[in-house]
Amino acid sequence: MTAAPITSICCIGAGYVGGPTMAVIADQCPDVRVTVVDINQTRIDAWNDDDLSKLPVYEPGLDAVVGRARGRNLFFSTAVDEAIAAADMVFISVNTPTKTKGLGAGQASDLRWVEACARQVAKSATGHTIVVEKSTLPVRTAEAVKAILFASEQSGDGVQRSFAMLSNPEFLAEGTAIPDLELPDRVLIGGENPEAIDALASLYGRWVPQERILRTNLWSSELSKLTANAFLAQRISSINSVGALCEVTGADVREVAKAIGTDSRIGPKFLQAGPGFGGSCFQKDILNLVYLCRHFGLPDVADYWESVVHLNSWQQHRIARTVVQKLFGTVTGKRLAVLGFAFKADTNDTREAPAIRIAKDLLEEGAQLAIHDPKVNADQIARDLQLPASTEPDVESGPKGAALSGEGTWWPSENIASALKGADAVIILTEWNHYRELDWTALAPLMRQPAWVFDARSVVTPADVQSAGLRLWRVGEGQP
Ligand code: NAD
Ligand code: UGA
């Protein structure tokens, strides 16, 4: 029996995954009605904004995709129940952050939003509905979702409903979400019901080659997502650990990464040393894996994965410590320019950004930070640092107010030259392309000498910085 074609999709959650993923599905399948729903009215309003530069998620290419499909077969709405009722297929794409209290606090995923979705689907669905886990979830979450859904099949409220359950984790990376979705390495579909699997596979099959559509059981699919993120994060902690060793031995981590990455068994990707991984998922997903390992009686496996997260925090504190040490052991009252606040280039997302921990450490030391990022706004930075912005102090008359008493302060800097004015150091924390092309000869005279450039992302050309008379620290670079 062939699967009935999907004509109407609902996606619950209009975030960094739900928005771009559904926009691409709608773009590729113009005959399928795709409705993305969210409880956050502000977010939905932003998705519906006529000005495509105001979409709530910044992703290169997303505006064009949304521009083509929105209003044709792509809709953003807060009418959750109506969209579920009309759909043949419902994607659950809500947030699954780490629990902050209760059982498993600090490690387990908080599944309250997923459970709320399952209950809402159970209540509002009509006819046969394929429910797809798109959120990243602990292994065997589908069991709980299924239990809630299948209980409603017999609810006796007079509505005919039945369900099939699939896991279809998302592998897009922020900043490259559109190409990742348009040409994925693979699409993973886990499930028990062959017709439901076929229905989802034929949707993706409109633009993804069949050999890239992998089919597994539900639990392999859920676990593969956590494992993929754990492996990627592990490579970053590995290269950052080697970078620290390079710094004290005279080796250069870029050379080491190239030398090992040319081994086809290792490969060149994810070997970029930096300020540690950020983003909403790597840390959360590894901690979730750690929790599961402990739960299933595998404490040594749990310790192994937990060390990846420990090394990452250590790297972030180490960079802040290096700045303080190089600046004669104190940054109290000193102006420092922080270039980049997003967790990586080409996104406005700051969740778990390395800049947060590094800036907090420097503020704790009493620094005055001028923070520049082309896509992150000042309100977001204030929320992340849990500290309101100050007004920019006048370089000539020196610190005022809190800064005078040695407290750390920060202010948003619209342009790079004003961030550097009077600064003792520049700290580059996000690899925005723009930072690769800075004119150091013009910028150096604005700074207080002797001045430093701390390049945690390997974006500057060392000769340009040094010939401008600036001192340079680059992550993972030892002095030969
Ligand atoms: P997000 O926080 O950006 O978006 C989640 C959205 O869900 C929010 O807008 C929230 O208001 C909405 N929501 C929560 N409960 C709801 C409910 N009951 N009804 C309607 N809307 C509801 O999260 P995200 O970054 O899009 O991540 C979503 C999931 O995808 C997570 O499990 C994450 O681990 C996974 N993931 C994220 C990425 C990424 O790059 N961000 C990549 C792959 C997988
Ligand atoms: C990551 C994965 O790459 C995606 O496959 C996955 O879907 C997603 O997590 C998720 O589950 O949320 P993302 O976090 O958006 O995607 O971005 P990455 O490109 O993986 O970067 C994560 C962090 O690692 C960034 O802070 C980045 O700067 C850092 N990184 C990455 C390095 O420090 N070095 C590298 O070589 C690569």
Side-chain angles (χ1 to χ4, degrees):
M1 203 167 115
T2 49
I6 299 299
T7 58
S8 176
I9 288 176
C10 161
C11 173
I12 311 179
Y16 283 85
V17 167
T21 309
M22 293 302 131
V24 169
I25 291 181
D27 195 28
Q28 299 287 345
C29 311
D31 52 322
V32 177
R33 186 182 172 90
V34 179
T35 307
V36 189
V37 293
D38 204 293
I39 42 178
N40 182 334
Q41 182 73 55
T42 316
R43 218 167 206 192
I44 291 297
D45 290 346
W47 280 111
N48 283 324
D49 203 306
D50 288 338
D51 179 352
L52 289 168
S53 72
K54 299 219 170 90
L55 298 180
V57 169
Y58 172 71
E59 274 296 335
L62 176 62
D63 49 356
V65 176
V66 171
R68 280 195 295 272
R70 199 178 57 187
R72 179 190 69 189
N73 64 324
L74 174 66
F75 304 92
F76 294 93
S77 159
T78 50
V80 181
D81 291 321
E82 287 88 325
I84 294 172
D88 326 308
M89 183 174 271
V90 176
F91 287 82
I92 298 180
S93 189
V94 297
N95 36 320
T96 51
T98 305
K99 274 183 90 171
T100 52
K101 54 185 179 187
L103 204 64
Q107 290 193 332
S109 288
D110 192 338
L111 297 179
R112 76 175 98 157
W113 293 277
V114 171
E115 183 174 335
C117 284
R119 291 190 186 282
Q120 201 147 6
V121 176
K123 177 177 68 108
S124 304
T126 55
H128 184 65
T129 310
I130 300 172
V131 178
V132 185
E133 292 178 341
K134 181 55 98 180
S135 298
T136 303
L137 294 164
V139 192
R140 302 205 78 89
T141 303
E143 206 156 51
V145 176
K146 269 196 310 189
I148 292 169
L149 295 176
F150 293 159
S152 78
E153 287 183 349
Q154 287 98 36
S155 71
D157 62 0
V159 180
Q160 285 287 323
R161 48 174 88 86
S162 60
F163 297 99
M165 179 82 213
L166 297 176
S167 158
N168 171 225
E170 183 49 60
F171 295 98
L172 69 80
E174 290 180 29
T176 53
I178 301 303
D180 291 347
L181 289 162
E182 288 179 340
L183 192 60
D185 285 351
R186 76 328 208 161
V187 165
L188 181 57
I189 304 176
E192 293 152 346
N193 178 323
E195 280 175 34
I197 296 176
D198 285 348
L200 185 54
S202 63
L203 194 71
Y204 282 113
R206 309 269 199 109
W207 76 98
V208 180
Q210 279 304 323
E211 63 278 12
R212 292 197 185 189
I213 302 178
L214 310 183
R215 297 156 189 243
T216 66
N217 76 32
L218 272 171
W219 323 123
S220 301
S221 173
E222 289 179 336
L223 186 56
S224 299
K225 173 62 197 176
L226 294 182
T227 310
N229 274 357
F231 268 58
L232 291 169
Q234 178 212 44
R235 277 174 75 98
I236 300 170
S237 282
S238 298
I239 200 69
N240 284 336
S241 74
V242 172
L245 191 59
C246 289
E247 288 173 31
V248 291
T249 55
D252 184 327
V253 76
R254 284 150 289 270
E255 293 178 351
V256 175
K258 189 161 185 200
I260 64 169
T262 46
D263 184 324
S264 61
R265 293 167 303 172
I266 296 175
K269 294 186 179 164
F270 269 72
L271 288 178
Q272 181 82 44
F277 55 78
S280 61
C281 295
F282 278 176
Q283 175 170 309
K284 151 178 97 67
D285 293 348
I286 296 180
L287 292 175
N288 187 358
L289 198 61
V290 167
Y291 181 75
L292 286 171
C293 293
R294 294 232 160 86
H295 173 79
F296 288 110
L298 298 166
D300 302 84
V301 183
D303 291 348
Y304 171 72
W305 286 111
E306 199 165 24
S307 72
V308 172
V309 176
H310 282 158
L311 198 288
N312 196 54
S313 320
W314 174 81
Q315 174 77 345
Q316 293 170 0
H317 291 304
R318 183 177 86 84
I319 288 177
R321 232 179 10 251
T322 302
V323 172
V324 176
Q325 281 161 358
K326 299 272 187 211
L327 295 180
F328 310 115
T330 176
V331 293
T332 309
K334 289 181 181 168
R335 291 171 75 115
L336 309 177
V338 172
L339 300 190
F341 204 81
F343 82 96
K344 63 184 280 196
D346 292 326
T347 177
N348 59 345
D349 194 347
T350 62
R351 291 178 288 180
E352 304 293 339
I356 300 174
R357 190 170 277 149
I358 294 170
K360 277 187 170 176
D361 281 2
L362 295 170
L363 290 168
E364 185 72 25
E365 293 284 337
Q368 296 180 39
L369 305 179
I371 302 182
H372 175 272
D373 189 288
K375 288 290 172 194
V376 180
N377 66 44
D379 292 342
Q380 185 59 49
I381 299 175
R383 275 195 295 276
D384 289 334
L385 296 179
Q386 296 157 309
L387 185 68
S390 304
T391 47
E392 178 175 353
D394 181 59
V395 179
E396 309 308 328
S397 55
K400 289 201 173 71
L404 200 57
S405 59
E407 276 178 46
T409 59
W410 75 276
W411 60 94
S413 218
E414 293 278 302
N415 75 68
I416 294 172
S418 67
L420 265 67
K421 212 154 108 204
D424 287 29
V426 181
I427 307 158
I428 303 174
L429 295 180
T430 311
E431 72 285 19
W432 287 104
N433 255 338
H434 186 41
Y435 300 155
R436 297 178 196 275
E437 292 146 12
L438 298 178
D439 178 355
W440 291 104
T441 314
L443 292 170
L446 302 173
M447 301 179 70
R448 185 168 82 158
Q449 304 301 328
W452 278 89
V453 173
F454 293 91
D455 181 6
R457 291 286 192 175
S458 304
V459 294
V460 304
T461 306
D464 292 353
V465 173
Q466 282 152 343
S467 65
L470 297 168
R471 299 172 181 204
L472 175 65
W473 174 90
R474 284 205 302 162
V475 68
E477 183 172 59
Q479 298 311 314

